[in-house]
Amino acid sequence: MSAPAHPQRNAELLGVYVNDHLAAATGGIELVCRMLRVHAGSRWEAPLQQLLAELRDEKASLLAVSAALGIPVRQYKQLGVWVAEKVTRAKLNGRLLSRSPLSDLVEFEFLASAVRGKRSGFETLRILAEVDERIDRAEFDRLIDQAHRQYEWLTDARRDVAAATFGGRPAAAERTGGH
């Protein structure tokens, strides 16, 4: 393997950064798995299945970058996020023992926000690819585009869920400047 074209800076911080994104990927996968159980047989099942496959693919890409850069994977971070995802199931949603319609809205909103953060992470790694040839530029271009499509779908889905939960028309939010 060849050395970077121009050495990147702050390698220790890059390790923290990549591990944080790996941990977030673990949490996202867990959340979508839970949502799939809740939405089995609904109109959300197929797009959530696709999202799950893409999240797993993205995590594999992050693991490959970690390996290419010699960044050790910090399993404790992934475990911590996995545990945190389980704990959030007990969040206050207006109901103590049953699932609230608010749960669906909060989950779709959280995923939309998380996808925006993930896309930013992919953009950061794509910027780094300009000075470190160990990072596949085309792969991060693909991941950025994929995250953008995910965000577009999640934005539409959360608007539909908001209207189903509280009333109103999902399209009403579009006049505020889009996504």
Side-chain angles (χ1 to χ4, degrees):
M1 181 174 295
S2 60
H6 304 293
Q8 45 98 341
R9 295 184 294 270
N10 297 310
E12 67 285 347
L13 296 178
L14 180 60
V16 171
Y17 188 79
V18 170
N19 272 286
D20 286 352
H21 278 277
L22 277 167
T26 298
I29 290 167
E30 289 298 315
L31 176 57
V32 173
C33 285
R34 174 173 35 141
M35 291 174 73
L36 274 165
R37 288 189 296 276
V38 170
H39 296 288
S42 78
R43 68 181 178 139
W44 305 119
E45 183 177 18
L48 285 169
Q49 286 283 5
Q50 179 179 340
L51 179 60
L52 180 60
E54 291 171 355
L55 293 176
R56 287 177 172 153
D57 171 63
E58 292 163 1
K59 185 175 179 182
S61 291
L62 287 172
L63 286 167
V65 164
S66 181
L69 297 175
I71 296 170
V73 174
R74 304 293 182 210
Q75 295 297 332
Y76 70 88
K77 285 191 175 198
Q78 293 184 54
L79 178 62
V81 170
W82 182 84
V83 169
E85 190 280 330
K86 304 300 183 222
V87 170
T88 61
R89 293 177 188 201
K91 70 183 174 300
L92 298 175
N93 60 12
R95 296 194 181 161
L96 186 58
L97 299 176
S98 64
R99 185 170 171 85
S100 165
L102 187 57
S103 297
D104 291 340
L105 181 57
V106 169
E107 288 170 351
F108 276 102
E109 285 182 349
F110 179 80
L111 275 177
S113 296
V115 165
R116 286 186 79 156
K118 170 183 70 178
R119 184 178 69 193
S120 294
F122 293 157
E123 290 170 353
T124 296
L125 291 170
R126 177 56 179 87
I127 291 166
L128 178 58
E130 293 297 310
V131 296
D132 195 325
E133 63 190 27
R134 298 173 295 177
I135 298 175
D136 183 347
R137 295 175 184 181
E139 175 67 357
F140 280 91
D141 289 341
R142 180 186 74 81
L143 293 175
I144 291 164
D145 291 343
Q146 181 170 282
H148 182 74
R149 284 190 307 278
Q150 291 168 353
Y151 179 72
E152 293 290 319
W153 173 73
L154 286 164
T155 295
D156 290 341
R158 75 171 166 73
R159 287 175 178 169
D160 287 350
V161 172
T165 302
F166 297 120
R169 294 177 303 106
E174 291 176 11
R175 66 181 210 67
T176 62
H179 308 297

